[in-house]
């Protein structure tokens, strides 16, 4: 009938980007070159699946609409080199009317009469990242725009790369040039970036903590794409789907996609379809979200989560410490690490709760995931009592 509008998974922009309008307006103001805005340097943080990457995509689109140049990168070792060697030169080549003549004059002298190729650096002492960014900004400013540097997946292991880029950007920001930077990562990585030497400039950056969606936003994220594609969903089915997602964007798309697929030739999406979708989407949460979130934790951190999972709702920090046979002060170290990692939230003093939907249920069903961070259903079969006969 119609193509499925929902986009389950990671990094793929949803049909309706719900609940982010006010935020995007802040960036639109930056790109419209209005008053100076703190969003010229912003750090986006939130747990896995909350929508960091697709927000960056939307910010980049807003920049492109205003004819800004976008330099996008996913942080990993070697990003700076890739930017310097390939991406920035390619962008400059497209935009710089002088690129051709510069190539001839400055960079390479082709071999003549058997002499070996000689490479001459134009400005050998200047860091290339800085000079190329500066040139891109200059070109953008000439057409009344600027340059957006957008960096995804900030991680501890690549803080060195982030530092190189941040220094170059900071330099231009200080000179009040038309440049903006946005970087995204899970809370623990952003916390590490804020602590790192050479990245202090980010402490003055706008912090954007992405939250899950409200019930109204969730309903809109589900209903709008369905209506736009000419199908319908009843009130009860919509409410059930929205509530089951808990406003967690990853689940919104996952449930939406499966409800759509259930009976694609029937116009209305029924409560049966939603019921089925919720079951399938919940089952997929473990591998897609929960196990990856557990992977980076220490055994002690996971013990803390297992102790929390004994409660049906929010846990008291002292009860958790007791279950771990330690003092509340000692358990506080795990608590703050888990808060940093975006895995737990502290709704009030002395209380902790899971940040990711279904983590409690998953830990109860698969306690070994917590101990090893790996699926161990297969291993468990070896521990069961030996079959007789
Ligand atoms: N505001 C939103 N409204 C609807 N769906 C969203 C929203 N934000 C994210 N999603 C969906 O949630 C999933 C995870 O988003 P993603 O940006 O990859 O998360 P993160 O980068 O934080 O791990 C994707 O399927 C995406 O389409
Ligand atoms: Mg992402």
């Amino acid at each position: 009938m119609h193509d499925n509008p929902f986009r389950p998974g990671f990094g793929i922009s949803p049909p309706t980007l719900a609940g982010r309008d006010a935020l995007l307006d802040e960036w639109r103001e930056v790109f419209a070159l209005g008053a100076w805005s703190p969003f010229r340097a912003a750090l986006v943080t939130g747990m896995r699946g909350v929508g960091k990457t697709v927000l960056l995509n939307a910010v980049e689109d807003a920049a492109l609409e205003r004819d800004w140049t976008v330099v996008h990168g996913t942080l990993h070792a070697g990003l700076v080199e890739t930017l310097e060697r390939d991406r920035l030169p390619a962008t400059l080549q497209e935009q710089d009317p002088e690129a051709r003549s510069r190539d001839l004059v400055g960079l390479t002298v082709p071999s003549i009469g058997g002499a070996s190729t000689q490479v001459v650096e134009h400005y050998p002492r200047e860091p290339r990242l800085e000079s190329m960014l500066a040139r891109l900004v200059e070109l953008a400013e000439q057409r009344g725009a600027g340059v957006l540097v957008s960096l995804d997946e900030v991680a501890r292991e690549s803080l060195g790369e982030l530092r190189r880029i941040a220094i170059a950007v900071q330099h231009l920001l200080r000179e009040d040039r038309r440049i903006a930077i946005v970087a995204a990562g899970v809370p623990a990585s952003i916390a590490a970036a804020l602590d790192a030497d050479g990245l202090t400039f980010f402490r003055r950056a706008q912090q954007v903590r992405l939250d899950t969606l409200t019930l109204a936003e969730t309903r809109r994220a589900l209903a709008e794409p369905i209506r736009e594609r000419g199908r319908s969903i009843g009130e009860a089915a919509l409410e059930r789907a929205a509530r089951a997602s808990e406003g967690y964007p990853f689940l919104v798309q996952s449930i939406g996609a499966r409800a759509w697929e259930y009976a694609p030739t029937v116009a209305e999406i029924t409560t049966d379809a939603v019921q089925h979708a919720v079951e399938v989407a919940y089952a997929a949460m473990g591998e897609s979200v929960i196990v990856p979130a557990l992977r980076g934790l220490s055994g002690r951190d996971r013990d803390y989560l297992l102790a929390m999972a004994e409660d049906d709702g929010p846990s008291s920090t002292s009860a958790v410490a007791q279950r771990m046979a330690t003092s509340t002060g000692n358990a506080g170290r795990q608590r703050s690490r888990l808060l940093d990692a975006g895995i737990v939230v502290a709704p009030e003093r002395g209380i902790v709760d899971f940040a990711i939907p279904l983590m409690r249920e998953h830990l109860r069903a698969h306690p070994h995931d917590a101990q090893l961070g790996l699926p161990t259903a297969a291993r468990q079969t070896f521990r069961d009592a030996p079959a007789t006969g």
Side-chain angles (χ1 to χ4, degrees):
M1 194 170 163
H2 297 287
D3 288 342
N4 199 327
F6 293 102
R7 294 288 174 265
F10 293 96
I12 314 167
S13 293
T16 295
L17 184 71
R20 309 296 188 218
D21 293 341
L23 268 176
L24 282 169
D25 280 344
E26 298 280 358
W27 271 289
R28 288 195 189 102
E29 209 164 288
V30 172
F31 305 134
L33 303 175
W36 188 89
S37 155
F39 279 74
R40 296 246 324 242
L43 286 174
V44 175
T45 180
M47 65 185 134
R48 190 177 161 79
V50 82
K52 299 179 293 298
T53 299
V54 302
L55 179 69
L56 287 193
N57 294 345
V59 171
E60 291 171 15
D61 288 346
L64 292 171
E65 266 166 37
R66 288 284 179 168
D67 207 20
W68 278 48
T69 300
V70 173
V71 176
H72 168 92
T74 298
L75 280 154
H76 59 83
L79 173 63
V80 170
E81 210 198 318
T82 314
L83 288 174
E84 285 184 330
R85 284 212 347 220
D86 304 326
R87 282 197 242 158
L88 293 178
T91 314
L92 278 167
Q93 186 74 40
E94 272 167 33
Q95 298 192 0
D96 190 347
E98 290 169 37
R100 219 157 242 291
S101 55
R102 283 189 188 210
D103 261 1
L104 292 177
V105 182
L107 297 175
T108 26
V109 177
S111 64
I112 303 162
S116 64
T117 302
Q118 200 186 353
V119 177
V120 183
E121 287 286 338
H122 211 119
Y123 305 108
R125 274 159 208 279
E126 196 170 354
R128 301 187 65 210
L129 182 68
E130 292 204 10
S131 62
M132 285 192 277
L133 268 181
R135 178 71 184 141
L136 272 182
V137 170
E138 192 179 306
L139 290 165
E141 284 174 344
Q142 283 168 12
R143 53 174 203 269
V147 172
L148 168 70
V149 177
S150 164
L151 302 170
D152 201 3
E153 296 192 22
V154 170
R156 254 176 235 281
E157 303 77 56
S158 51
L159 289 182
E161 304 282 315
L162 180 62
R163 185 177 296 119
R164 288 272 324 268
I165 300 168
I167 287 170
V169 170
Q170 180 179 20
H171 195 76
L172 292 159
L173 270 174
R174 273 217 203 96
E175 292 178 350
D176 205 21
R177 306 293 300 276
R178 298 207 157 137
I179 190 160
I181 182 169
V182 56
V186 295
S189 307
I190 294 296
L194 288 171
D195 272 351
D197 291 333
L199 284 172
T200 47
F201 129 85
F202 274 128
R203 287 179 207 158
R204 293 187 301 275
Q206 178 70 41
Q207 303 265 342
V208 178
R209 291 189 193 82
L210 283 189
D211 201 352
T212 51
L213 308 177
T214 65
L215 181 58
E217 288 159 359
T218 305
R219 287 171 53 101
R220 193 181 141 232
L222 287 163
E224 209 173 77
I226 293 170
R227 292 194 184 124
E228 276 171 8
R229 293 270 165 116
R231 292 182 72 189
S232 62
I233 180 166
E235 170 55 30
L238 177 60
E239 186 69 9
R240 167 85 181 105
R243 289 198 178 271
S245 77
E246 295 182 37
Y248 181 58
F250 174 89
L251 267 180
V252 171
Q253 298 302 317
S254 187
I255 292 172
R258 274 129 186 164
W260 179 279
E261 275 158 22
Y262 184 72
T265 55
V266 182
E268 180 169 337
I269 294 177
T270 60
T271 45
D272 273 356
V274 167
Q275 189 52 40
H276 166 83
V278 168
E279 278 162 26
V280 179
Y282 276 13
M285 273 289 284
E287 283 308 307
S288 306
V289 179
I290 293 168
V291 171
L294 292 171
R295 221 167 252 145
L297 303 176
S298 74
R300 209 55 193 149
D301 297 343
R302 295 192 203 115
D303 286 345
Y304 193 99
L305 296 174
L306 278 179
M308 283 174 63
E310 289 183 29
D311 294 310
D312 293 329
S315 307
S316 118
T317 51
S318 57
V320 169
Q322 230 164 40
R323 287 174 202 152
M324 293 174 74
T326 186
S327 68
T328 311
N330 265 334
R333 222 169 302 144
Q334 268 75 51
R335 177 184 157 277
S336 66
R337 260 214 302 274
L338 292 167
L339 278 169
D340 277 351
I343 289 178
V344 305
V345 290
E348 53 188 290
R349 218 184 144 78
I351 301 290
V352 278
D353 199 1
F354 289 101
I356 303 178
L358 299 174
M359 190 173 259
R360 180 193 334 275
E361 291 76 5
H362 186 91
L363 288 171
R364 285 177 177 180
H366 311 279
H368 291 287
D369 282 8
Q371 277 142 24
L372 303 165
L374 292 167
T376 54
R379 197 168 292 139
Q380 185 59 36
T381 63
F382 290 87
R383 297 209 184 91
D384 294 340
T388 48

